Structures are given as C-alpha cells and as structure tokens.
Amino acid sequence: QVHLVESGGGSVQAGGSLRLSCSASGRTVDNYALNWFRQTPGKEREWVAAISRGGGSSIYADSVKGRFTISRDNTNKNTVYLQMNSLTPDDTAVYYCAATSSIYGSTPHYWGQGTQVTVSS
C-alpha cells in the first residue's frame, strides 16, 4: 500500500508561481514512478508530469513543458514536487499525485486526495 498526500495548492495571479508537494509513504513506494495529474469540473483528468523511481527521468505534457518542473527527493520521505511557473488561468484545477509502475502511460495504482490550484487573471 502506498499513501500519497499533496500540499501546496492555493490561489495565485496569472504569471505567478506555486510549488506543490506530495509526500509518499508505504513499504513499496520506492518501486513506483510518481506523477502529477490535474482535473477541472466537467473534464477528464489530465496527466501533467511524471518522474521515475530514482528521479533520473522525467516527462511532461506539452501544455506545461517549459513552465513546470517535477522533482523527487527520495531521502525526504519520498517527496515529489511540482514547481509551476508562469501560471495561467488554464492551469486552474485540482492537482493529484499518483503512483505508477512506469513513467510511460501506466495506469495509476494509487492516488492522493488532491490539492486545489486557482489562477486568476
């Protein structure tokens, strides 16, 4: 079992920055890649970024590439971060952390509860 807890959401004006954190715990957490997804009401959940188990590989959705950075600190309770810069109102969503077997399109095994990000124009 893997337990994921997100934090760091909030409200920011367009052009601003936020950093989300996801603390991952559990006996097998080292076996999983960690991802960020986001969802707005009425839309399907969208994959945002993923980072490999060791943190050496990361990939991004085109919509956030160049603005968001995912990182992983395996020495700090397996925490994964999402640094979000140059935010726009289109980035407004609930952001979820998820654990997958691979960074390449795997179905998530575990989800966090989500954290709200609101970007105002």
Side-chain angles (χ1 to χ4, degrees):
Q1 186 76 12
V2 174
H3 188 52
L4 303 170
V5 179
E6 302 96 334
S7 61
S11 297
V12 65
Q13 288 193 326
S17 299
L18 280 175
R19 189 176 82 155
L20 305 182
S21 299
C22 172
S23 178
S25 60
R27 190 164 52 90
T28 61
V29 66
D30 290 348
N31 295 335
Y32 293 94
L34 295 175
N35 301 251
W36 288 98
F37 287 76
R38 65 186 182 186
Q39 189 171 25
T40 55
K43 293 186 178 181
E44 290 189 359
R45 197 167 292 189
E46 174 192 17
W47 171 79
V48 174
I51 190 164
S52 61
R53 288 173 286 180
S57 298
S58 58
I59 54 174
Y60 299 89
D62 287 343
S63 57
V64 306
K65 199 173 293 183
R67 300 187 300 121
F68 291 11
T69 302
I70 189 170
S71 59
R72 180 169 185 166
D73 184 354
N74 287 337
T75 64
N76 182 20
K77 297 182 179 181
N78 272 296
T79 302
V80 62
Y81 303 98
L82 187 68
Q83 177 67 44
M84 306 185 294
N85 299 329
S86 302
L87 286 162
T88 74
D90 287 343
D91 295 315
T92 295
V94 177
Y95 283 72
Y96 297 90
C97 182
T100 57
S101 299
S102 165
I103 63 173
Y104 299 111
S106 298
T107 300
H109 294 271
Y110 303 100
W111 292 95
Q113 83 289 348
T115 185
Q116 176 71 48
V117 171
T118 303
V119 184
S120 58
S121 57

